[in-house]
Amino acid sequence: MSGPPVLVLARRIHTLDPAAPADVRPPDALLARHGRILAVGAAAELRSAAPDAQTLDLRPATLTPGLTDAHIHLVEWALARREVDLSAADSPEAAARMVASHAGQGSGWVRGRGWNPHRWAAAPTRELLDRVAPGRPVALQSHDMHALWVSSEALRRAGIDRETPDPDGGSIVRDAAGEPTGLLLERAAELVVRCSPPATDAEVQAALLDAQAELHRLGITGVHCLPNIHIAAPDPLPTLETLRARGLLRLRVLAHLPLSALDDAIRLGVRSGFGGEWIRIGAIKLFLDGALGSRTAWLREPYVGSTDRGIQVLPAADFREAVRRAAAAGLATAVHAIGDAAVSLALDVLADPAVRVPALPHRIEHVQLCPPERFAEPGRHGITASVQPCHLITDWRPAERHWGHDRCRGAYAFRSLLAGGAVLAFGSDAPVEPADPRLGLFAALARQDLDGQPADGWFPAERLAAPEALRAYTVGPAHAAGAMGMQGVLAPGAYADFAAWEQDPLELAAPDVMGLRCMATVVGGDVVWTRTSEHAHA
């Protein structure tokens, strides 16, 4: 935003600024210039203070800081939007039919995503894919991205046969005769991922721009971008930097690095917090376990009806050493931990004052099953709880089935974590779940699925209030990114990143949150999306 200041008018503005007086009338205007907020207050006062200001009238919308998705696999999600969507498949056969309709002619790879084993009575097999795409390499990511369903040709290209040993932290599922079934769990998926061709730079750039437009439509102005070891996706940093240099990047990106980049980061002196106003370096991303859906989340006690406790992806000694080396080089840690054994190990290691990093707090991604006796530890040790409430919508029934009701007292325990002093940072985990933040807000407030079940909410004492949930999409991610005062609030000096909502998100009852509509999104003072322009181009 160059030239004269801009006066933005709204019905109401929720600044989320902790320094703002709590007992005054909510402001209805803000003044911005050069991409930053100059002042927030009453429209008449700001108009008098800046008589030359241009006016952007967003009334009767309510303004909030732009939302940040604090856990998204950005490139993976962008590319997945162009693949076969299997989320509606109610059986392996139905998924195979979708693959058949998409495959067409040719000999190249067929990729898909979103199949959900919770909805299927039978396990998928390579023979199903061989019938619908004969001779084709097919690779289909599960809903939780912790299982890969592949064809015989994909197994052949990866060199996987009955003699191939399970890799550390992974499992090649086999039939009674010892032959691979076509299902690869956790790090076994990497065997196929490594041999599949990557997307071209042009394909990634186009996919990212489309994805950015969708995020803007949802009121999202920032993302915390995390790598995933189970999907063949290019390093997002070069592409994001290309878009930034071309003036096309209109998201604030905190880019976390994979463990495989740790040695290079140390050698080059890269630290958490490096970067500029659009792209900054976050933490080193580590994986301790798998996921609920594939029963690979690492548990202290076995899954219900089983002796299996899931998969510990990274040995404890290796985890401790990676955290130590990263911290010594000024790099924070973001650790994937879903099961209670994984969460416990993450807390044990990250709580050590010797591994604190000044620029950013450590963070635990997911924290889906936290031992109740440890609810207060993230807050006590300054560890961000990076959680995705939208998972509760699809996972509460499987959690009851696989973990048991009593153990689920520690599942998705947002209220208990917050009460213990933890900073909550909400995200979507897209492409595992849709990027729509309304799902996260609804789940945090209602603790129900989209059919309204359970009727009284699943462990309803863990519900959040609307202001708490909104802060977890704004202030929480800013804290996690070391960007307090710059992002997540509408206050003097902060970026002019905000969303205009048709309804006031703090006035909606939980059942109405899914009807919340974003009317406009502004990033760095520039209007990057409006519902009016969308309709004009429809």
Side-chain angles (χ1 to χ4, degrees):
M1 184 183 291
S2 58
V6 172
L7 180 68
V8 183
L9 305 177
R11 169 178 171 255
R12 176 181 298 155
I13 299 177
H14 295 300
T15 68
L16 304 189
D17 179 7
D23 57 348
V24 300
R25 180 179 178 181
D28 61 359
L30 65 81
L31 199 63
R33 188 175 190 178
H34 302 314
R36 301 290 184 96
I37 294 174
L38 299 176
V40 183
E45 295 176 2
L46 296 186
R47 187 177 284 111
S48 297
D52 61 333
Q54 299 176 351
T55 299
L56 174 60
D57 193 342
L58 296 176
R59 293 174 297 186
T62 295
L63 300 192
T64 70
L67 307 186
T68 292
D69 188 322
H71 187 115
I72 186 171
H73 307 284
L74 184 61
V75 174
E76 295 89 336
W77 173 63
L79 293 172
R81 284 161 48 83
R82 302 180 170 209
E83 297 176 346
V84 188
D85 184 356
L86 305 173
S87 58
D90 58 7
S91 68
E93 291 77 14
R97 289 193 293 271
M98 294 176 181
V99 171
S101 65
H102 179 88
Q105 303 298 314
S107 59
W109 284 78
V110 179
R111 293 187 175 91
R113 60 179 175 89
W115 58 272
N116 191 339
H118 297 318
R119 305 183 62 200
W120 295 357
T125 65
R126 58 186 170 86
E127 288 83 5
L128 272 175
L129 300 180
D130 296 345
R131 285 199 291 270
V132 300
R136 299 282 293 276
V138 182
L140 310 174
Q141 281 287 342
S142 66
H143 166 261
D144 62 12
M145 296 199 300
H146 288 264
L148 191 68
W149 175 21
V150 300
S151 65
S152 295
E153 178 60 15
L155 290 173
R156 188 192 68 79
R157 295 193 185 193
I160 300 173
D161 58 25
R162 62 179 296 125
E163 304 301 327
T164 306
D166 287 347
D168 291 340
S171 175
I172 301 169
V173 179
R174 306 169 198 270
D175 61 21
E179 295 291 341
T181 66
L183 192 59
L184 306 173
L185 303 180
E186 300 303 332
R187 302 201 68 169
E190 296 178 48
L191 303 175
V192 168
V193 168
R194 287 198 295 261
C195 74
S196 60
T200 66
D201 290 345
E203 289 170 338
V204 175
Q205 288 183 35
L208 277 176
L209 290 175
D210 287 345
Q212 175 177 256
E214 174 65 7
L215 294 174
H216 288 157
R217 188 183 70 82
L218 297 169
I220 294 172
T221 59
V223 294
H224 296 182
C225 176
L226 291 103
N228 188 289
I229 59 176
H230 306 304
I231 295 182
D235 180 353
L237 278 173
T239 305
L240 290 169
E241 174 56 26
T242 297
L243 296 179
R244 186 207 63 78
R246 294 171 58 194
L248 299 176
L249 182 63
R250 308 303 291 167
L251 289 170
R252 313 283 179 189
V253 179
L254 184 73
H256 296 298
L257 305 176
L259 176 58
S260 59
L262 177 57
D263 287 342
D264 285 341
I266 293 173
R267 178 174 57 85
L268 295 172
V270 174
R271 294 173 175 262
S272 294
F274 275 18
E277 63 177 325
W278 295 106
I279 306 171
R280 295 173 65 243
I281 298 298
I284 293 291
K285 171 74 180 295
L286 305 177
F287 287 82
L288 282 182
D289 68 343
L292 166 63
S294 55
R295 289 171 64 103
T296 54
W298 179 32
L299 304 181
R300 298 193 296 184
E301 300 296 332
Y303 284 84
V304 172
S306 169
T307 60
D308 183 29
R309 294 180 15 183
I311 294 178
Q312 181 181 359
V313 173
L314 191 64
D318 293 352
F319 173 54
R320 291 179 186 276
E321 178 61 11
V323 172
R324 184 199 65 77
R325 292 183 64 227
L331 289 159
T333 291
V335 57
H336 168 115
I338 288 182
D340 51 6
V343 171
S344 293
L345 178 58
L347 288 171
D348 289 344
V349 173
L350 299 183
D352 185 352
V355 298
R356 297 280 172 86
V357 175
L360 297 183
H362 296 308
R363 47 195 283 169
I364 301 177
E365 307 299 322
H366 310 303
V367 205
Q368 283 185 10
L369 188 61
C370 182
E373 69 272 15
R374 308 196 73 166
F375 283 155
E377 292 186 37
R380 184 182 308 140
H381 300 296
I383 301 168
T384 299
S386 173
V387 294
Q388 302 77 46
C390 53
H391 283 308
L392 183 150
I393 294 172
T394 53
D395 282 4
W396 78 264
R397 292 181 190 273
E400 290 270 337
R401 183 165 64 250
H402 296 314
W403 292 344
H405 181 78
D406 290 344
R407 187 160 43 182
C408 284
R409 189 166 65 89
Y412 310 88
F414 311 132
R415 164 63 58 197
S416 293
L417 291 168
L418 186 65
V423 172
L424 301 181
F426 280 1
S428 67
D429 205 8
V432 176
E433 301 287 355
D436 191 338
R438 295 175 300 181
L439 291 166
L441 291 170
F442 168 78
L445 272 57
R447 294 188 69 85
Q448 295 173 321
D449 59 31
L450 296 181
D451 295 324
Q453 297 299 317
D456 296 327
W458 191 54
F459 293 93
E462 293 294 343
R463 286 177 173 140
L464 296 182
E468 295 166 332
L470 181 60
R471 287 176 63 85
Y473 265 122
T474 51
V475 178
H479 173 88
M484 289 292 287
M486 298 299 297
Q487 294 176 245
V489 296
L490 298 177
Y495 296 130
D497 299 348
F498 51 88
W501 306 97
E502 183 178 50
Q503 307 97 329
D504 186 334
L506 299 189
E507 292 183 342
L508 296 177
D512 300 322
V513 167
M514 291 304 299
L516 180 65
R517 295 205 308 170
C518 181
M519 305 307 294
T521 303
V522 175
V523 180
D526 294 327
V527 178
V528 294
W529 181 85
T530 67
R531 185 166 294 277
T532 302
S533 65
E534 180 184 60
H535 291 164
H537 290 91

